[in-house]
Amino acid sequence: MSYLNVLKRLKAADEVSAAEVKAILSMDHPSEGQVYPHLRGYLLSRFLLDDSVQTDDLKKLVSSSISKSLEISEGDLDVTDLSDRCISAPSVETKLALAMLKFEEALGIKVDVMERVNCVTVADYAGVVSRYL
Amino acid sequence: MSRADIVKRQLEAISAEADVEMAAVRAALPALTKEELREHLRRFILYKFLLDPDCEEEDIRRLSQMSIEKLLAMSTRDLNTSDLGIGCGGTSSVDNKIILLFMALGRELEITMDPLRTPSLKTVPLLTEEVYTLLKEAGRVL
Amino acid sequence: MDPRVENAMMTTGMKKAIDVKLNVQPIFVALYHEHVFEGPCRFGAGDELKKEYDLALDAMIYDRTKEAWATMFDPQNVNVLEPIIIYRDETFLTTDWMLEEMGKTSKETDVYLFATASRPYDLIVEFAQRIGKPICMMQDCCGSSIVIPACRARGVECYAFTDVEDANLTFSVLRVRKALSELKVLAVVRNNSNVSISAPDSFVSLEDVTMKFGARFRFINVHELMDYSHVNNDSTQNYTTPGRHDGMNITEEEMKEAEAMADEFIAKADECHMERDMVVNTFRIYRTIQKVMNAYECNAFTAPCPDVCATRRINEEKFTFCLTHTLNNENGIPSACEYDVPALFAAMLLQNVSRCPSYQGNTITAPKIGGIRQFVPRGALLNIESVQKADVELGDLENVCLTFHAVPTRFPKGFGTEMEPYSIRSFAHSGFGATVRYDFKRDIGQTITMARFDPTGTKLLVAKGTICGGVGYGDRNCSEGVFFQVENSSDFFQKQLNFGNHIPLVYGDWMKEMIRLGEVLGLEVITA
Amino acid sequence: MSIKPIKDIKLNVRPVSVVLYHDYVFEGPCRFGEGPQLTYDFDKTVNLMMCKAFEESLTDASVFDPKKINFLPHILIERNEEFIVKDEDMEKVGEDIENVDAFYIHVGMSRTYDFMIEMAERFNKPVILGPTMAIDTITTAAIAATGRKVYPVRTVQDVARHFDVLRVKKMMNNLAVLCAARLNSNRSFPSAPDGFLSTEDVTKRMGIRFRYTDPHEILDSTVPRPVQTAYDEETTNHTTPGRIGLNPNDEDMAVIEKITDEFIAGAAEVEMDRELIMRSVKAWYVVNKFMDHLDCNAFTIPCPDVCATRRLNKEKITFCLTHSLNQEIGIPSACEYDIPALVTQAILMGFSGKAPYMGNCEFGNIPQGDDPGAFWSAMFVHEASKNEDIPFLQKQQAEKGGDYVIVTHAVPNRKFKGFDAENAPYAIRSFARSGFGATIRYDFKQDIGQVVTLMRIDPLCRKFFIAKGEVIGGIGYKDTNCSEGVVVKIRDHADFFRKQSYFGNHVPLVYGDYVEELKALAEEFDMEVVEA
């Protein structure tokens, strides 16, 4: 994929994720169910994934996104993931944490750290977010 | 004449007396008796050791010590301790005088004294016995 | 039939340490000059340059040296072998013939003593390296200061003596070292043969001390020894060795001997506070142990106390080992209570240096603090009245220590000396286990020398004291104590902490000998 | 009985996460990232996510076998960029320290080396860092410099292997050997003078403890005494008059009879009468009573020394079955008072979870032809041994050379494949030709092709002798006496023998390949490895 195409895709993704945020903000005290589809859309766009990805597991979404961009199999990820642990976090946790923090920033909310860390699936996170809106 | 020359001349005079004894022994052969030999040897040793001819002492080692004392005016006690197992080529003067005496005796009487028997010839009678036996073996005494 | 088949226990019996002699092989190395010539390798003129002169001189020196060798050494310690003389001329050649001739008695020689006429030093150094045994010389002009450094640099153990007293001192301790290397301990075992329950301050490894000092061990199972002590001409009836005919049981004949010894023991005592049969019983185990020691060719003995006591067999057999230890030590057979092998070895050293039986006991410092003589047990072990009486007798004496057990000797002043007064009381309050009771107060003012190995067998504690009291003469049990003063009891205690509880003692001042002995044994010597 | 076999020992591992959150937003060489990555929230979220992943990794039984490893509750230590080592945190991580055998550290974000180094120094326990960057050599080098062991790790498999070694080391520390010495308790000269020179030294080096008892007292205790009253010398043992002994009472005898019958029932062939088998089972049972009484979990007793008293013959007992049955339940048990062989058994059990086999080592030098020579003829008298097993070995030797070792004794067992495995097929025949001394007869030919690891420790307790081999035959299944042999193919029998000469005769073996684990343990004990 050439550099230009990458820029184009990133720009398109930003627009989608902004739209998803806007949709959620437009709702008054949305339920988990209402938040879920937009949250999922937001994450897929952040992670440059298309909706053919089945998993609802947050970490799996991230690792399939990283492996896609680095063109290496998910299995090998663990090993390379070690590379920069000591000084910064492994890429899976880094990418997931960043996506969550940016999402909350965009929604103008700040979720409790332990609640955030304990989310395993997109649904879990949707439930947490909905309580803060 | 210096004191040393005087002493030297005295020594030579006494030593000449010793030669006279040897000559007497040679002259008396082959009829020489053991007793005569003993008397000659006694006086020969006394003269060689520059001691008074009528000294009664018969122990050769003692005579050698007396001779050295006389020469060096040393007390005999110091001599004993340094006599033990002399090494490194140095000799004890007491041994030295006895050995040279026996070598001179051998030369004078043309007999071969066994060096290893030196320590056993402790007295004049024992020396006499040894010399008399050697003369006999050489057929120079009847 | 081949006698060895008849009885694999063919033995040469017991060879006591005190009877061991140090075999000294004197060698005189003489040099003579074959030819007449002068130069820096010889001195003299005229006849003095002749071969006969050298030979005569060598003979004179050798004759005097032999005379000295024959009389200068203590025959109790040293056995001087037939002197050897080696001649060498000024080719200074060392031949194998010379080396073989010098080493022809190497089988029995312990130390080579050299004397020289002229300069045969290289020959001595080569011989010393090959023979692998210590060499020594009397100081003689410059010879000794050439030979000894050369040998030491090549790993040879060697000595030079300035005088006869120094030579005799060194030979006496080399004798003890040899005797230690020939020590064979009959060790009675129940469970752990390395360390017993009551003396974990014993050697960490008996194998290690065998490698270091040569002393060996013959183990015997305590249950089998106990069965051997049952009077029986036919030893196939033993419970623990069914059917074996080792012939180790004490026979009726030997039991009569034991009874005779018991009667003599009772007769010679000032007082006897035991039943005759209990005294005889104690001699039953003593006689059995002598029999086993002879059969096992052992010349030292030790047995555990609590480990064996706990089987209750001692209580059943009605004897203890105390008197065996006393009688062994009196006969020059080092014997230690409680399987304390460092104490056994120290007793052996003390006995062989002083030629006096030793006394082993719990050694404690007894400083007077707050008006009370501290740390002295009062009650089951030492009788309260006896200790209080001793408190009074000791008054405010400082630097006081106490050694107490139940194995004192009746000949503290030396083997073969006059027997000292003693009485007989039982170890057990119920009346068994005869022990000698000796009143140490009779020897107040007597100098004593003490010693002990440390558990690693690398250090030797040597200490001096002066008897200043006694306790337990009138009591039973493990209570026969001697009070003594040391130079500084707290220093004594701190040093004792690296060594252990039992510190055997002998009468007399043997510090110099024991220190030299420690050095010769390669030990770090700590004095107090 | 409450004997604690070392095979049941688990390594207690304290998992600890040491993480760091930056209090402030700033950049510099102590952190990396941009935007939200510089926030406290980000640091905390990422670190706690990593801790969660770390906790999950502990439950992976394929890596950390729960039968071997017991993870204690995970402790989290949170720090900020002041890098302070707080006493409070040290006390927190030191909780229940007596039960902690090792720390397993998960290194969170940023630099927490100082904390881990101080943990190693304060608690003097192994500190194993989880799989992280190579940069962790900073921590391991610092800890090694304090004279402590370090455990280099690249993968979780490395971690598991270190745990395995530390667990076997813990087993040694919990090994208490009941030594029934008749004479020399250090090493029995008649049977195994190649034993340890000093058991005290073994205690110092490996933490193994030794308890001692007397074989006469054990043999006395094999006499059933239903009713015992203290101080009644008639009804107590000869060697401990008046003391209540460990003699089997009626209840014990019932158990012994049951075990005997089960033992007989399970056997493919039985060539001994029940009463004599029961005497051997009773001996095993009494030895276990002694071990229980003296808090021991291993056993050894000399053979020739005790035999020479003629009591074994009188009591119609040998201790072969005792050793076999002990080994089956994870209790190291060595013939001939061979303590190096016993410790080796304990190590092999520890790694393999299987019962070992010990015996004399013979080499591939059987004379060809009908007369295989005195040793073989005397030792193997049964027709099957003569007509099948020996010819097989001779053929083997002729065709493939002599590179094999035959390990022969009379103490095989039925758990070579694992303590939890089914009993392997066996027969029962006597040690003594006259019929006493039950031994398990095991036909090693049933395990041809099985890889085995052989090992022994030297008399100075400073070296491991390790070799790998493969079972290619068996000998003596049909025989009696000390003749049950497994034939093991090895790389080079001359090299094996030359190296073995520095170690000793009995070289215990266990099924499976544990060479690497043994080498790691040797390093842990600062011991040299000699491989054949």
Side-chain angles (χ1 to χ4, degrees), chain C residues 193 207 221 223-224 242 312, chain D residues 182 185 187 216-217 241 310:
Chain C
S193 72
E207 300 259 1
N221 187 283
H223 294 300
E224 293 166 32
R312 299 192 71 259
Chain D
R182 175 191 169 212
S185 70
R187 43 183 178 158
H216 287 300
E217 294 175 29
R310 299 190 73 257

Side-chain angles (χ1 to χ4, degrees), chain D residues 38-55:
Chain D
L38 300 175
T39 64
Y40 174 84
D41 224 11
F42 171 79
D43 276 1
K44 189 162 188 178
T45 301
V46 170
N47 271 299
L48 294 183
M49 281 182 179
M50 287 157 62
C51 289
K52 220 166 131 234
F54 172 61
E55 281 174 359

Side-chain angles (χ1 to χ4, degrees), chain A residues 59 82-83 85-90 93-94 96-98 100-101 110 113-114 116-118, chain D residues 32 36-37 41-42 44-46 48-50 52-53 106-110 113 131 133 135:
Chain A
K59 277 197 172 175
L82 307 180
S83 56
R85 166 158 304 190
C86 129
I87 297 152
S88 63
E93 277 79 2
T94 306
L96 179 57
L98 270 178
M100 290 168 125
L101 288 170
K110 199 150 179 306
V113 174
M114 285 320 295
R116 183 186 301 131
V117 167
N118 288 331
Chain D
F32 301 89
Q37 283 182 303
D41 224 11
F42 171 79
K44 189 162 188 178
T45 301
V46 170
L48 294 183
M49 281 182 179
M50 287 157 62
K52 220 166 131 234
H106 157 237
V107 181
M109 269 170 58
S110 195
Y113 322 124
M133 280 185 59
I135 200 166

Side-chain angles (χ1 to χ4, degrees), chain C residues 325-391:
Chain C
H325 292 310
T326 288
L327 299 173
N328 275 344
N329 284 320
E330 287 178 353
N331 290 321
I333 300 165
S335 211
C337 319
E338 299 188 53
Y339 209 85
D340 187 337
V341 184
L344 176 67
F345 279 22
M348 180 271 173
L349 300 190
L350 289 166
Q351 286 179 19
N352 278 274
V353 163
S354 68
R355 292 188 180 274
C356 304
S358 55
Y359 180 40
Q360 171 197 345
N362 306 314
T363 300
I364 61 169
T365 55
K368 195 148 191 177
I369 303 169
I372 296 171
R373 192 57 66 180
Q374 296 294 339
F375 313 124
V376 181
R378 301 161 196 261
L381 202 48
L382 294 186
N383 178 290
I384 295 175
E385 288 81 27
S386 307
V387 174
Q388 276 157 353
K389 190 156 162 280
D391 274 355

